[in-house]
């Protein structure tokens, strides 16, 4: 019996990745943590804003002799501010932490796009704006429980899916060249491997495992595009001379694996 569903996504490099979906239990626990944190932010906002509002209202009454509808404007600002904090909490963290909020980070789940890529500001914003609809009458719970991809309304609109983070790293089933081993030892000094997510590592690993079955043309196209994207992710300014895309990807694979096991 499998307690979690699996999903296969295809990346723009035509590499298939298999992930474990987060499951309604993990998502509910993550949301409980997030709503607890969010409640703290909202309470702090209300305390500060109510104090400011009282000062503003008292000042207006002293000057004009009446509220002149200012109290209604202050109430409207209170409601708007609360909504901005509600939406902004999820947008801020999911954009900053590449698909994770404090709750998702604690429960080790993450939001990614349907092609396996990390979500951006647009996806995080769309998911957050539709969250109130998902929370109304537990609509999101029903959609997650009944759908094979466990998507709520916000996920369908944004083209995202919530997965469990990879906890283990598969051993290589392909040879690593001595030149790649030498480059792997240098990479931690000239690049920032911390920006490489387990999902990014999985793409590199799957390509290196499957490259032998690709045609020369397809292999050249995929490894060049993948190497360029990885170079940007790890903030590497310049690839060492005489380094082929395959050698570079092997080195990144090995360096990331060594760093993760420390």
């Amino acid at each position: 019996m499998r307690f979690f569903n699996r999903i296969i996504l295809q990346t723009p490099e035509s590499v298939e990745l298999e992930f474990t979906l987060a499951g309604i239990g993990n998502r509910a626990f993550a949301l409980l943590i997030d709503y607890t944190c969010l409640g703290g932010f909202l309470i702090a906002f209300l305390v500060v804003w109510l104090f400011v509002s009282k000062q503003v209202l008292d000042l207006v009454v002293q000057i004009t002799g009446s509220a002149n509808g200012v109290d209604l404007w202050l109430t409207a600002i209170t409601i708007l501010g609360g909504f901005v904090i509600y939406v902004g909490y999820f947008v801020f963290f999911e954009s900053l932490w590449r698909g994770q909020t404090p709750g998702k980070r604690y429960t080790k789940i993450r939001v990614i796009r349907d092609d396996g890529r990390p979500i951006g500001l647009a996806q995080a914003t769309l998911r957050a704006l539709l969250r109130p609809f998902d929370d109304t009458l537990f609509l999101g719970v029903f959609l997650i429980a009944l759908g094979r991809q466990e998507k709520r309304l916000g996920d369908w609109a944004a083209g995202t899916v919530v997965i469990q983070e990879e906890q283990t790293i598969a051993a290589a089933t392909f040879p690593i060249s001595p030149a790649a081993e030498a480059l792997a030892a240098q990479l931690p000094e000239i690049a920032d491997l911390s920006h490489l997510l387990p999902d990014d590592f999985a793409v590199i690993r799957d390509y290196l495992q499957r490259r032998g079955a690709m045609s020369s043309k397809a292999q050249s196209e995929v490894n060049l595009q993948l190497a360029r994207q990885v170079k940007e992710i790890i903030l590497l300014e310049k690839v060492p001379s005489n380094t082929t895309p395959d050698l570079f990807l092997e080195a990144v694979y090995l360096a990331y694996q060594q760093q993760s096991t420390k």
Side-chain angles (χ1 to χ4, degrees):
M1 179 180 294
R2 303 184 70 172
F3 292 96
F4 295 97
N5 292 326
R6 304 283 294 180
I7 187 172
I8 296 178
L9 304 178
Q10 188 172 50
T11 72
E13 294 84 16
S14 299
V15 176
E16 289 187 346
L17 298 176
E18 185 176 8
F19 298 101
T20 300
L21 293 174
I24 192 170
N26 284 335
R27 295 182 69 168
F29 187 32
L31 189 61
L32 177 62
I33 295 173
D34 285 327
Y35 275 165
T36 301
C37 296
L38 180 59
F41 287 123
L42 288 173
I43 290 174
F45 164 73
L46 288 175
V47 169
V48 173
W49 180 245
L50 288 176
F51 174 78
V52 173
S53 298
K54 186 177 185 305
Q55 302 303 313
V56 171
L57 189 60
D58 290 345
L59 181 62
V60 171
V61 171
Q62 288 178 6
I63 295 175
T64 64
S66 65
N68 288 329
V70 173
D71 53 340
L72 295 178
W73 281 102
L74 293 175
T75 301
I77 293 175
T78 303
I79 296 173
L80 179 61
F83 180 75
V84 169
I85 292 175
Y86 174 82
V87 172
Y89 173 90
F90 294 98
V91 173
F92 175 78
F93 283 111
E94 288 187 355
S95 299
L96 180 67
W97 288 349
R98 304 184 76 180
Q100 286 189 311
T101 57
K104 290 185 178 70
R105 176 165 287 194
Y106 182 82
T107 55
K108 301 188 186 317
I109 62 178
R110 180 183 300 277
V111 184
I112 61 174
R113 293 191 292 184
D114 284 340
D115 61 0
R117 298 292 182 186
I119 67 170
L121 180 61
Q123 290 80 26
T125 301
L126 192 53
R127 295 183 82 253
L129 288 174
L130 290 175
R131 184 173 293 277
F133 296 97
D134 282 310
D135 290 346
T136 302
L137 299 177
F138 300 101
L139 175 61
V141 174
F142 287 114
L143 291 176
I144 293 171
L146 299 178
R148 294 188 60 182
Q149 295 184 329
E150 299 181 0
K151 290 189 174 192
R152 63 177 178 85
L153 185 60
D155 290 315
W156 284 111
T160 58
V161 64
V162 184
I163 62 165
Q164 293 189 47
E165 283 200 295
E166 294 288 339
Q167 299 300 310
T168 58
I169 299 175
T173 57
F174 47 83
I176 302 276
S177 64
E181 294 179 358
L183 179 57
Q186 302 175 21
L187 280 178
E189 301 176 359
I190 61 177
D192 189 352
L193 296 174
S194 65
H195 289 275
L196 202 66
L197 296 177
D199 303 339
D200 302 320
F201 173 82
V203 173
I204 298 172
R205 180 191 62 206
D206 286 1
Y207 161 73
L208 293 174
Q209 288 176 332
R210 300 183 186 191
R211 58 183 169 173
M214 297 180 178
S215 65
S216 298
K217 181 179 179 181
Q219 184 176 343
S220 298
E221 292 177 351
V222 172
N223 65 19
L224 183 59
Q225 181 181 358
L226 187 55
R228 287 174 177 171
Q229 293 174 346
V230 172
K231 176 176 174 291
E232 293 179 0
I233 291 174
I234 64 176
L235 305 179
L236 179 62
E237 293 184 1
K238 184 179 180 181
V239 178
S241 58
N242 300 322
T243 301
T244 64
D246 267 17
L247 190 153
F248 174 67
L249 293 172
E250 288 177 10
V252 172
Y253 170 90
L254 186 59
Y256 181 88
Q257 190 179 49
Q258 291 173 344
Q259 181 172 295
S260 300
T261 55
K262 287 182 180 180

